[in-house]
Amino acid sequence: MTTFFFGTWATRVYLFAVAVTSVILLGGNLATGNHEPTSAAVYLIGLTAPVSVIFAPVFLLGDGWLSIAMLWLSVAAGLLLNTLLINTIVGEVGRLRSRRARPN
């Protein structure tokens, strides 16, 4: 499971960017005492797009606990799908490079 999430350098960079944005969003919410999605949520949704845009479009995020749940669940779904996609792309590029490097 750790190789799935931290397998490649591209995945590590992506996960770091999402983690930093999440910390900024949570820190801002804790500092202001307002736990509704803020403008930092736009960056978080943008990083985990296209899945998070489908499940929690910014214009539908309103007030209440349901909007918070929609935001974090859509971010988690987008994170998992994008991690899988990044690992697949980097793995295929690595295979193509190794085939090209081998003399036939």
Side-chain angles (χ1 to χ4, degrees):
M1 188 63 133
T2 57
T3 58
F4 172 74
F5 282 110
F6 303 110
T8 62
W9 63 270
T11 306
R12 290 183 204 124
V13 169
Y14 175 69
L15 290 174
F16 180 75
V18 172
V20 167
T21 308
S22 298
V23 167
I24 290 171
L25 175 65
L26 288 173
N29 287 346
L30 291 174
T32 61
N34 183 10
H35 297 291
E36 301 299 323
T38 60
S39 60
V42 174
Y43 296 114
L44 194 57
I45 289 173
L47 278 172
T48 56
V51 174
S52 60
V53 173
I54 293 169
F55 288 124
V58 177
F59 61 89
L60 289 180
L61 290 176
D63 295 335
W65 66 271
L66 187 58
S67 64
I68 296 169
M70 278 179 26
L71 172 69
W72 290 109
L73 290 174
S74 68
V75 165
L79 179 75
L80 289 174
L81 182 70
N82 289 343
T83 301
L84 176 68
L85 184 65
I86 290 169
N87 281 335
T88 303
I89 290 171
V90 171
E92 288 299 318
V93 168
R95 282 192 208 124
L96 287 174
R97 284 186 180 173
S98 67
R99 284 185 196 159
R100 224 180 259 176
R102 282 186 290 172
N104 289 334

